[in-house]
Amino acid sequence: MAGLSAAFAAQRLQLAAKAALAAGLAFMIAPLMPGAAANYPYYAPLGALVVMYHNVAGSVRQGLQALTGLALGIGLAFVLVNFTDPSPLTVAVFMGVGVLLGGLPRIGSGSDWIPTAALLVLLVGGSNPDDFSFGYLVQMGVGVAVGIAVNFLVFPPLHLNAAAESLDELRRALGTQLTDMGAALKEKWPPEHEEWSRRSDELASAARSVRHLVKEADASRRANPRRKLHPRDVDLDYRNLRELERVTFHIQDMTDVLSDVIWESDVPYQVPVQDSGPLAYAMTATGELLHSYRDTDEPAQRERFETARAAVEACMAATAGREAEQGTVPASESILLSLHRILRALRPAA
């Protein structure tokens, strides 16, 4: 994951540079606003920062949600000012109402701005809440508009490479897990190498991270003018992700089964000695298939798929009809079923 960390560090620097640019432009424009709004220029940079999101569509969404929350908070403050005098009790009640309004559907990040805006109108607006509210809302709107414009025009971020790299890394991690388990089956038990037995949670976490990155890549394409210059089939990424999530589930199950067989003495299943070799070959062939997706062309991948399928079928034929020892169940059948389902998920398109 070091490559992904470096990529996101670069993206963070780019986001920081664009935030600085947007804040500076907003503060430069702020004094040009009409009427009392010109007296509150420092809220324009704040509005620009609010919308500095890592994709264009997210910037637009956050900006609209923030302005909606501000408008609701200002309205709430005016209700308090016009109908009662501010006091600890009334402020507490209205802040509670503001938090409740934050639960309105589709308001998202704007929920935090409702009580914040109401409190600022009460505390900063003082005896002139009308001018403050007008200036506050206008300048925030200016900042939001500038921030969205900067994010749209200045290298609007696309996260396609991070998604593609994460899918490849997950494939390699799953392939390594299978080949490591295949190696463990050929070692003297208990095997010296047992790192693979502790990777189940790590694989699940990696799959969740990949799903997040694919969703981020999809979101970064929306309203992004650069998408036509960098075409990518994100629908295919989602299909690959779903396949790898299924593969991850089955490999986790195989990891648990094989770990129990090797290190637990009270489980009612085992891998017969004569099954170890064919199972190891089937696991290794399937792991190499997963490793091959980035480094080989489609014909070579099909060849590796056929090799893995033949290895699994040969192992199934070798174990078919074998009598289990009294009081035990062959774990080979469970492992082979998982391998068969993995190959179904990885089956090349016709």
Side-chain angles (χ1 to χ4, degrees):
M1 290 293 181
L4 286 180
S5 299
F8 274 108
Q11 290 169 6
R12 193 69 183 176
L13 288 172
Q14 186 184 83
L15 185 66
K18 291 202 294 184
L21 175 62
L25 288 174
F27 194 64
M28 182 176 67
I29 296 171
L32 306 177
M33 292 301 102
N39 297 325
Y40 305 97
Y42 34 84
Y43 288 112
L46 178 60
L49 293 177
V50 165
V51 297
M52 270 301 124
Y53 200 68
H54 52 267
N55 61 62
V56 177
S59 287
V60 175
R61 182 180 63 253
Q62 287 207 160
L64 293 176
Q65 289 173 347
L67 292 177
T68 301
L70 285 173
L72 288 173
I74 290 170
L76 191 63
F78 269 93
V79 171
L80 175 58
V81 170
N82 290 328
F83 288 93
T84 184
D85 294 326
S87 69
L89 177 60
T90 56
V91 168
V93 170
F94 275 78
M95 290 303 99
V97 173
V99 173
L100 286 175
L101 290 176
L104 291 172
R106 297 181 178 275
I107 200 166
S109 60
S111 61
D112 296 331
W113 289 98
I114 298 175
T116 301
L119 195 59
L120 282 174
V121 170
L122 293 175
L123 296 179
V124 182
S127 60
N128 197 8
D130 293 351
D131 286 349
F132 175 79
S133 299
F134 173 74
Y136 185 21
L137 191 58
V138 168
Q139 294 288 16
M140 285 289 290
V142 168
V144 164
V146 171
I148 292 173
V150 168
N151 213 14
F152 180 82
L153 296 173
V154 182
F155 298 108
L158 278 171
H159 303 307
L160 303 180
N161 289 339
E165 289 173 6
S166 70
L167 286 165
D168 287 336
E169 288 191 4
L170 179 57
R171 283 193 191 94
R172 286 195 292 271
L174 293 170
T176 298
Q177 181 70 358
L178 282 176
T179 54
D180 284 355
M181 287 195 290
L185 277 168
K186 292 185 288 187
E187 293 181 24
K188 182 180 178 180
W189 286 7
E192 294 181 5
H193 304 95
E194 56 184 61
E195 296 88 353
W196 58 268
S197 65
R198 298 188 289 268
R199 291 188 195 136
S200 188
D201 291 341
E202 181 181 328
L203 292 173
S205 176
R208 288 192 297 270
S209 176
V210 173
R211 172 163 285 278
H212 171 74
L213 290 172
V214 171
K215 290 174 69 176
E216 287 293 324
D218 188 17
S220 73
R221 295 164 63 246
R222 299 171 194 163
N224 194 320
R226 295 175 60 211
R227 62 181 296 179
K228 293 183 179 180
L229 299 176
H230 303 275
R232 183 172 180 84
D233 189 351
V234 177
D235 290 336
L236 177 60
D237 286 341
Y238 275 117
R239 290 196 297 273
N240 289 336
L241 170 64
R242 288 191 291 271
E243 291 170 357
L244 289 177
E245 286 176 333
R246 288 196 292 271
V247 171
T248 301
F249 172 79
H250 293 305
I251 290 179
Q252 285 181 287
D253 185 64
M254 293 168 64
T255 302
D256 292 341
V257 169
L258 193 56
S259 297
D260 287 348
V261 166
I262 294 174
W263 285 288
E264 300 295 333
S265 58
D266 58 346
V267 294
Y269 45 87
Q270 63 178 1
V271 174
V273 175
Q274 58 268 44
D275 291 350
S276 297
L279 273 178
Y281 181 61
M283 283 186 183
T284 301
T286 307
E288 290 174 348
L289 169 65
L290 281 161
H291 272 290
S292 74
Y293 273 82
R294 180 169 182 173
D295 302 326
T296 59
D297 55 17
E298 186 174 341
Q301 288 175 11
R302 288 182 179 275
E303 183 178 342
R304 285 186 181 274
F305 177 83
E306 292 302 327
T307 300
R309 183 170 67 175
V312 172
E313 289 177 353
C315 190
M316 292 176 71
T319 59
R322 181 174 293 156
E323 293 291 334
E325 293 185 13
Q326 186 68 29
T328 65
V329 176
S332 313
E333 297 177 3
S334 171
I335 294 172
L336 282 169
L337 180 59
S338 294
L339 284 172
H340 177 71
R341 288 177 171 171
I342 288 170
L343 290 180
R344 285 188 63 183
L346 299 176
R347 182 169 47 200

